[in-house]
Amino acid sequence: MPLSPLSRALVRLPLLILCFCATANIDPLLPQASAGPDASVGVLIMAHGGGAEWNAQVEAVAREVHLPGPIGVSFLMGPGAAAGRFQDVTQDLVRRGAHEIVVIPMLVSSHSGHYEQVRYLVGGTDSLDAEMRQHLEMSGITRAPTDVPIRLAHAMDDAPEVAEALAARALALAREPAAEALFIVGHGPSSSEAYAAWMDNLRRVADTVRARSGFRTVLVDLVKDDASAPVRAEAVQRIRELIQLQHDLTGRDVIVVPLLVASGSLNRQKLPADLAGLPIRYSGEAMLPHPAMARWVEARVREAIKEPPSPLP
């Protein structure tokens, strides 16, 4: 029985789709990425802030981010906070053509007081811890007087780029990963609730690092650097005991990698002192300036533009 014109068209449709995909260099069997941000999307990278060297590491990564719109950097604390205040950098992005802004918190966790500072600045919350508010006021940081939409991205959390950077740092110290243990040590919050939320993400990071690197065992914990002296001392003791257990298991020096955004006193002075005498190999390299961190910024921007912007303050 001859096919009707409609039936013949339907039969040819799959072939037409395949021809179009081949011409456009598209794989029809794979999910296609949505359109990325255009030149009207400004990006504001917000980091904790430290001394000039610490801040320079963040600014260097910002220069490696490949996005069409304007990019700015701001800090929450330290000399860089007053020099490049959130509200000033936001207005500068608007002057440079941004019709909307994505704020990227270059922080290890979205469950931190500093993330809440950023959430407050973009209008995502009106409540902010008194100490965190005081930190902003000391640097003259306020919400931005602008009517462009602002979107807030997540912090690093369990992003695959974090695991990529950590695995690279660890493998640079390894001799035979399959027979060795890796310990990842981070800064960490003081409160028990925030600690639990951080660790929920970081255990997934540790699992991804192990899958990427092939270490025999990978553990992670936090030193609670901002906690009271007894709490910090207990956290350090627990970390030392875990590293010793890893050594007992493998009979080899344990690779130790810090989970920190950039290099400063914690990875250069404090952690070496905390871990002194243990059978470890440690270089202290932070995640910056690993190139995965620039790709993390790009990925967070692409994710954020799919979400509704924060309400304007």
Side-chain angles (χ1 to χ4, degrees):
M1 178 177 178
L3 295 174
S4 67
L6 177 59
S7 298
R8 288 196 297 271
L10 292 174
V11 169
R12 289 197 301 269
L13 184 57
L15 180 60
L16 292 172
I17 293 174
L18 288 172
C19 290
F20 170 77
C21 291
T23 304
N25 196 26
I26 297 172
D27 188 338
L29 301 180
L30 295 177
Q32 303 305 316
S34 59
D38 60 30
S40 70
V41 178
V43 176
L44 198 166
I45 299 172
M46 290 210 71
H48 178 281
E53 182 188 2
W54 198 100
N55 294 351
Q57 296 169 70
V58 177
E59 292 161 348
V61 167
R63 291 192 291 272
E64 297 300 317
V65 173
H66 298 297
L67 292 170
I71 298 173
V73 176
S74 185
F75 300 98
L76 290 166
M77 300 180 69
R85 301 178 306 175
F86 170 79
Q87 64 269 31
D88 299 332
V89 178
T90 299
Q91 290 179 308
D92 180 62
L93 291 173
V94 174
R95 283 193 296 269
R96 291 160 61 194
H99 294 170
E100 63 177 304
I101 294 172
V102 176
V103 176
I104 304 293
M106 191 166 273
L107 304 168
V108 170
S109 177
S110 301
H111 304 281
S112 70
H114 293 303
Y115 187 86
E116 286 302 297
Q117 285 179 308
V118 182
R119 200 160 73 91
Y120 169 80
L121 289 172
V122 305
T125 181
D126 287 324
S127 62
L128 185 63
D129 176 86
E131 182 180 358
M132 293 291 102
R133 189 186 295 268
Q134 183 183 27
H135 287 169
L136 296 178
E137 292 171 351
M138 289 171 59
S139 297
I141 300 173
T142 66
R143 290 171 168 176
T146 181
D147 57 0
V148 302
I150 299 178
R151 303 172 192 268
L152 176 60
H154 294 291
M156 294 180 180
D157 296 335
D158 60 351
E161 294 85 1
V162 173
E164 179 183 349
L166 293 173
R169 300 296 187 230
L171 288 171
L173 297 172
R175 295 168 187 162
E176 191 181 353
E180 295 174 310
L182 167 63
F183 195 92
I184 301 168
V185 57
H187 183 292
S190 301
S191 79
S192 299
E193 293 79 7
Y195 171 81
W198 280 54
M199 290 299 293
D200 183 54
N201 277 319
L202 295 182
R203 285 196 178 92
R204 288 194 290 272
V205 170
D207 289 343
T208 305
V209 169
R210 185 179 183 188
R212 292 183 68 98
S213 62
F215 278 95
R216 181 174 177 182
T217 176
V218 179
L219 297 179
V220 61
D221 211 336
L222 303 169
V223 77
K224 296 189 176 182
D225 196 53
D226 290 334
S228 65
V231 173
R232 188 186 191 282
E234 173 59 30
V236 170
Q237 183 60 33
R238 182 177 63 250
I239 288 169
R240 291 181 63 89
E241 291 170 354
L242 289 171
I243 290 173
Q244 187 62 53
L245 287 171
Q246 286 182 301
H247 171 70
D248 294 345
L249 172 68
T250 62
R252 300 180 180 227
D253 287 350
V254 176
I255 307 298
V256 177
V257 171
L259 174 60
L260 299 171
V261 172
S263 291
S265 62
L266 180 57
N267 61 314
R268 289 177 176 164
Q269 285 92 41
K270 289 186 178 182
L271 287 179
D274 293 334
L275 306 178
L278 288 172
I280 64 173
R281 287 202 298 279
Y282 174 86
S283 69
E285 278 195 277
M287 285 185 286
L288 298 187
H290 193 278
M293 292 297 95
R295 296 199 302 275
W296 168 77
V297 173
E298 295 163 3
R300 282 292 191 248
V301 173
R302 288 192 294 270
E303 293 169 5
I305 62 174
K306 301 175 185 176
E307 302 295 328
S310 300
L312 293 171

Short mmCIF file of all heavy atoms in Angstrom, two decimals, residues 108-109 183-191 194-200 202 219-225 231-232 234-239 242 259-260 266 271:
data_model
loop_
_atom_site.label_atom_id
_atom_site.label_comp_id
_atom_site.label_asym_id
_atom_site.label_seq_id
_atom_site.Cartn_x
_atom_site.Cartn_y
_atom_site.Cartn_z
N VAL A 108 35.02 27.81 50.17
CA VAL A 108 34.97 26.34 50.17
C VAL A 108 33.55 25.83 50.35
O VAL A 108 33.16 24.84 49.74
CB VAL A 108 35.91 25.78 51.26
CG1 VAL A 108 35.70 24.27 51.44
CG2 VAL A 108 37.37 26.06 50.90
N SER A 109 32.74 26.51 51.17
CA SER A 109 31.42 25.98 51.50
C SER A 109 30.34 27.05 51.46
O SER A 109 30.58 28.20 51.84
CB SER A 109 31.44 25.33 52.88
OG SER A 109 30.15 24.86 53.24
N PHE A 183 45.22 12.25 52.88
CA PHE A 183 44.38 12.96 53.84
C PHE A 183 44.22 14.39 53.36
O PHE A 183 45.20 15.08 53.08
CB PHE A 183 44.99 12.95 55.24
CG PHE A 183 44.02 13.34 56.31
CD1 PHE A 183 43.28 12.39 56.97
CD2 PHE A 183 43.79 14.68 56.62
CE1 PHE A 183 42.34 12.74 57.94
CE2 PHE A 183 42.87 15.05 57.58
CZ PHE A 183 42.13 14.08 58.24
N ILE A 184 42.96 14.84 53.27
CA ILE A 184 42.63 16.21 52.87
C ILE A 184 42.20 16.96 54.11
O ILE A 184 41.29 16.54 54.82
CB ILE A 184 41.49 16.20 51.83
CG1 ILE A 184 41.90 15.40 50.59
CG2 ILE A 184 41.11 17.63 51.44
CD1 ILE A 184 40.74 15.10 49.65
N VAL A 185 42.86 18.08 54.39
CA VAL A 185 42.56 18.83 55.62
C VAL A 185 42.15 20.25 55.25
O VAL A 185 42.82 20.94 54.49
CB VAL A 185 43.76 18.83 56.58
CG1 VAL A 185 45.02 19.38 55.95
CG2 VAL A 185 43.43 19.60 57.86
N GLY A 186 40.99 20.67 55.80
CA GLY A 186 40.47 21.99 55.50
C GLY A 186 40.40 22.88 56.73
O GLY A 186 40.72 22.46 57.85
N HIS A 187 39.96 24.11 56.51
CA HIS A 187 39.86 25.14 57.55
C HIS A 187 38.71 24.81 58.49
O HIS A 187 38.91 24.49 59.65
CB HIS A 187 39.66 26.49 56.87
CG HIS A 187 39.60 27.66 57.80
ND1 HIS A 187 38.55 27.86 58.67
CD2 HIS A 187 40.44 28.71 57.98
CE1 HIS A 187 38.75 28.98 59.35
NE2 HIS A 187 39.89 29.51 58.95
N GLY A 188 37.50 24.92 57.99
CA GLY A 188 36.33 24.49 58.73
C GLY A 188 35.70 25.52 59.62
O GLY A 188 36.34 26.47 60.06
N PRO A 189 34.38 25.36 59.89
CA PRO A 189 33.63 26.27 60.75
C PRO A 189 33.74 25.86 62.21
O PRO A 189 34.21 24.76 62.53
CB PRO A 189 32.20 26.11 60.25
CG PRO A 189 32.14 24.66 59.85
CD PRO A 189 33.51 24.32 59.31
N SER A 190 33.26 26.73 63.08
CA SER A 190 33.30 26.45 64.52
C SER A 190 32.09 25.65 65.00
O SER A 190 32.20 24.78 65.86
CB SER A 190 33.39 27.75 65.31
OG SER A 190 34.54 28.48 64.94
N SER A 191 30.90 25.93 64.46
CA SER A 191 29.68 25.31 64.97
C SER A 191 29.52 23.87 64.48
O SER A 191 29.97 23.52 63.39
CB SER A 191 28.45 26.12 64.53
OG SER A 191 28.11 25.84 63.20
N ALA A 194 27.25 23.60 61.19
CA ALA A 194 27.96 23.96 59.96
C ALA A 194 29.01 22.90 59.63
O ALA A 194 29.20 22.54 58.46
CB ALA A 194 28.61 25.33 60.09
N TYR A 195 29.67 22.37 60.65
CA TYR A 195 30.67 21.32 60.42
C TYR A 195 30.04 20.11 59.72
O TYR A 195 30.59 19.57 58.76
CB TYR A 195 31.28 20.90 61.75
CG TYR A 195 32.17 19.66 61.68
CD1 TYR A 195 33.49 19.77 61.26
CD2 TYR A 195 31.68 18.41 62.04
CE1 TYR A 195 34.30 18.64 61.19
CE2 TYR A 195 32.48 17.28 61.97
CZ TYR A 195 33.80 17.40 61.55
OH TYR A 195 34.58 16.28 61.48
N ALA A 196 28.86 19.71 60.18
CA ALA A 196 28.17 18.57 59.57
C ALA A 196 27.83 18.85 58.10
O ALA A 196 27.97 17.98 57.24
CB ALA A 196 26.91 18.24 60.35
N ALA A 197 27.40 20.08 57.80
CA ALA A 197 27.06 20.43 56.42
C ALA A 197 28.29 20.47 55.53
O ALA A 197 28.26 20.01 54.39
CB ALA A 197 26.35 21.79 56.41
N TRP A 198 29.38 21.02 56.04
CA TRP A 198 30.64 21.01 55.28
C TRP A 198 31.06 19.57 54.96
O TRP A 198 31.40 19.25 53.82
CB TRP A 198 31.76 21.67 56.09
CG TRP A 198 31.80 23.15 56.10
CD1 TRP A 198 30.80 24.01 56.43
CD2 TRP A 198 32.94 23.97 55.79
NE1 TRP A 198 31.24 25.32 56.35
CE2 TRP A 198 32.55 25.32 55.97
CE3 TRP A 198 34.25 23.69 55.41
CZ2 TRP A 198 33.43 26.38 55.75
CZ3 TRP A 198 35.13 24.74 55.20
CH2 TRP A 198 34.72 26.07 55.36
N MET A 199 31.04 18.72 55.97
CA MET A 199 31.54 17.36 55.80
C MET A 199 30.65 16.54 54.87
O MET A 199 31.14 15.63 54.18
CB MET A 199 31.66 16.67 57.16
CG MET A 199 32.78 17.22 58.03
SD MET A 199 34.42 17.03 57.29
CE MET A 199 34.58 15.24 57.31
N ASP A 200 29.37 16.85 54.83
CA ASP A 200 28.47 16.15 53.90
C ASP A 200 28.94 16.35 52.46
O ASP A 200 28.95 15.41 51.65
CB ASP A 200 27.04 16.67 54.08
CG ASP A 200 26.06 15.93 53.20
OD1 ASP A 200 26.01 14.70 53.25
OD2 ASP A 200 25.35 16.61 52.42
N LEU A 202 32.13 17.44 51.65
CA LEU A 202 33.54 17.10 51.49
C LEU A 202 33.78 15.60 51.43
O LEU A 202 34.76 15.14 50.83
CB LEU A 202 34.36 17.73 52.61
CG LEU A 202 34.38 19.26 52.58
CD1 LEU A 202 35.26 19.81 53.68
CD2 LEU A 202 34.86 19.77 51.22
N LEU A 219 40.75 10.25 53.13
CA LEU A 219 39.95 10.78 54.23
C LEU A 219 40.01 12.31 54.20
O LEU A 219 40.94 12.90 53.64
CB LEU A 219 40.46 10.27 55.58
CG LEU A 219 40.38 8.76 55.84
CD1 LEU A 219 40.95 8.44 57.22
CD2 LEU A 219 38.95 8.26 55.72
N VAL A 220 39.03 12.94 54.84
CA VAL A 220 38.98 14.39 54.90
C VAL A 220 38.47 14.81 56.28
O VAL A 220 37.63 14.13 56.87
CB VAL A 220 38.06 14.97 53.78
CG1 VAL A 220 36.63 14.46 53.93
CG2 VAL A 220 38.10 16.49 53.77
N ASP A 221 39.01 15.90 56.79
CA ASP A 221 38.50 16.47 58.03
C ASP A 221 38.92 17.93 58.10
O ASP A 221 39.72 18.41 57.28
CB ASP A 221 38.97 15.71 59.27
CG ASP A 221 37.93 15.75 60.40
OD1 ASP A 221 37.11 16.71 60.42
OD2 ASP A 221 37.94 14.85 61.24
N LEU A 222 38.40 18.64 59.12
CA LEU A 222 38.57 20.09 59.23
C LEU A 222 39.23 20.45 60.54
O LEU A 222 38.90 19.90 61.60
CB LEU A 222 37.19 20.77 59.12
CG LEU A 222 36.42 20.44 57.85
CD1 LEU A 222 34.98 20.93 57.96
CD2 LEU A 222 37.09 21.05 56.64
N VAL A 223 40.13 21.41 60.49
CA VAL A 223 40.93 21.76 61.64
C VAL A 223 40.22 22.76 62.56
O VAL A 223 40.67 23.01 63.67
CB VAL A 223 42.30 22.31 61.18
CG1 VAL A 223 42.19 23.73 60.68
CG2 VAL A 223 43.34 22.19 62.27
N LYS A 224 39.10 23.34 62.10
CA LYS A 224 38.32 24.31 62.89
C LYS A 224 39.21 25.46 63.38
O LYS A 224 39.31 25.74 64.57
CB LYS A 224 37.63 23.62 64.07
CG LYS A 224 36.59 22.58 63.64
CD LYS A 224 35.78 22.09 64.83
CE LYS A 224 34.69 21.13 64.38
NZ LYS A 224 33.85 20.67 65.50
N ASP A 225 39.83 26.13 62.42
CA ASP A 225 40.86 27.10 62.75
C ASP A 225 40.33 28.31 63.52
O ASP A 225 41.08 28.95 64.26
CB ASP A 225 41.56 27.56 61.47
CG ASP A 225 42.86 28.26 61.75
OD1 ASP A 225 43.70 27.68 62.46
OD2 ASP A 225 43.04 29.41 61.30
N VAL A 231 38.69 23.57 71.34
CA VAL A 231 37.98 22.93 70.22
C VAL A 231 38.95 22.69 69.07
O VAL A 231 38.96 21.62 68.44
CB VAL A 231 36.78 23.78 69.78
CG1 VAL A 231 36.15 23.21 68.51
CG2 VAL A 231 35.75 23.86 70.89
N ARG A 232 39.77 23.68 68.77
CA ARG A 232 40.74 23.52 67.68
C ARG A 232 41.74 22.42 68.02
O ARG A 232 42.09 21.58 67.17
CB ARG A 232 41.49 24.83 67.42
CG ARG A 232 42.37 24.76 66.17
CD ARG A 232 43.21 26.00 65.97
NE ARG A 232 43.84 25.99 64.66
CZ ARG A 232 44.91 25.29 64.35
NH1 ARG A 232 45.49 24.52 65.27
NH2 ARG A 232 45.41 25.33 63.12
N GLU A 234 41.30 19.80 69.87
CA GLU A 234 40.65 18.50 69.73
C GLU A 234 40.55 18.10 68.27
O GLU A 234 40.76 16.94 67.91
CB GLU A 234 39.27 18.53 70.38
CG GLU A 234 38.43 17.28 70.16
CD GLU A 234 39.10 16.02 70.69
OE1 GLU A 234 39.86 16.10 71.68
OE2 GLU A 234 38.86 14.94 70.11
N ALA A 235 40.22 19.07 67.39
CA ALA A 235 40.12 18.79 65.96
C ALA A 235 41.48 18.37 65.41
O ALA A 235 41.58 17.42 64.61
CB ALA A 235 39.60 20.02 65.22
N VAL A 236 42.54 19.06 65.83
CA VAL A 236 43.89 18.70 65.38
C VAL A 236 44.27 17.30 65.87
O VAL A 236 44.85 16.51 65.12
CB VAL A 236 44.92 19.75 65.86
CG1 VAL A 236 46.34 19.27 65.61
CG2 VAL A 236 44.69 21.08 65.15
N GLN A 237 43.94 16.99 67.11
CA GLN A 237 44.27 15.67 67.65
C GLN A 237 43.56 14.57 66.87
O GLN A 237 44.14 13.51 66.58
CB GLN A 237 43.89 15.60 69.13
CG GLN A 237 44.25 14.28 69.81
CD GLN A 237 45.74 13.99 69.77
OE1 GLN A 237 46.56 14.90 69.81
NE2 GLN A 237 46.09 12.71 69.66
N ARG A 238 42.29 14.80 66.53
CA ARG A 238 41.55 13.80 65.75
C ARG A 238 42.20 13.59 64.38
O ARG A 238 42.33 12.45 63.91
CB ARG A 238 40.09 14.25 65.59
CG ARG A 238 39.23 13.23 64.83
CD ARG A 238 37.79 13.66 64.74
NE ARG A 238 37.62 14.90 63.99
CZ ARG A 238 37.28 16.06 64.53
NH1 ARG A 238 37.08 16.16 65.83
NH2 ARG A 238 37.16 17.15 63.77
N ILE A 239 42.61 14.68 63.74
CA ILE A 239 43.25 14.59 62.44
C ILE A 239 44.57 13.82 62.55
O ILE A 239 44.89 12.97 61.71
CB ILE A 239 43.46 16.00 61.85
CG1 ILE A 239 42.11 16.57 61.41
CG2 ILE A 239 44.45 15.98 60.70
CD1 ILE A 239 42.15 18.03 61.06
N LEU A 242 43.81 10.11 62.83
CA LEU A 242 43.38 9.53 61.56
C LEU A 242 44.56 9.32 60.62
O LEU A 242 44.66 8.28 59.94
CB LEU A 242 42.33 10.43 60.91
CG LEU A 242 40.95 10.47 61.58
CD1 LEU A 242 40.09 11.57 60.97
CD2 LEU A 242 40.26 9.12 61.47
N LEU A 259 42.84 21.71 51.90
CA LEU A 259 41.66 22.15 51.16
C LEU A 259 41.46 23.63 51.47
O LEU A 259 40.68 24.02 52.34
CB LEU A 259 40.44 21.33 51.58
CG LEU A 259 39.09 21.74 51.01
CD1 LEU A 259 39.08 21.65 49.50
CD2 LEU A 259 37.98 20.89 51.60
N LEU A 260 42.18 24.47 50.75
CA LEU A 260 42.16 25.90 50.95
C LEU A 260 42.09 26.60 49.61
O LEU A 260 42.66 26.12 48.62
CB LEU A 260 43.41 26.36 51.71
CG LEU A 260 43.61 25.78 53.11
CD1 LEU A 260 45.00 26.14 53.63
CD2 LEU A 260 42.53 26.27 54.05
N LEU A 266 47.85 29.62 57.15
CA LEU A 266 47.34 28.34 57.61
C LEU A 266 48.10 27.18 56.99
O LEU A 266 48.54 26.26 57.68
CB LEU A 266 45.84 28.22 57.31
CG LEU A 266 45.17 26.91 57.76
CD1 LEU A 266 45.36 26.68 59.25
CD2 LEU A 266 43.68 26.92 57.43
N LEU A 271 49.41 24.53 59.73
CA LEU A 271 49.25 23.10 59.48
C LEU A 271 50.56 22.34 59.62
O LEU A 271 50.57 21.24 60.20
CB LEU A 271 48.63 22.87 58.10
CG LEU A 271 47.13 23.20 57.98
CD1 LEU A 271 46.63 22.96 56.57
CD2 LEU A 271 46.31 22.40 58.99
#
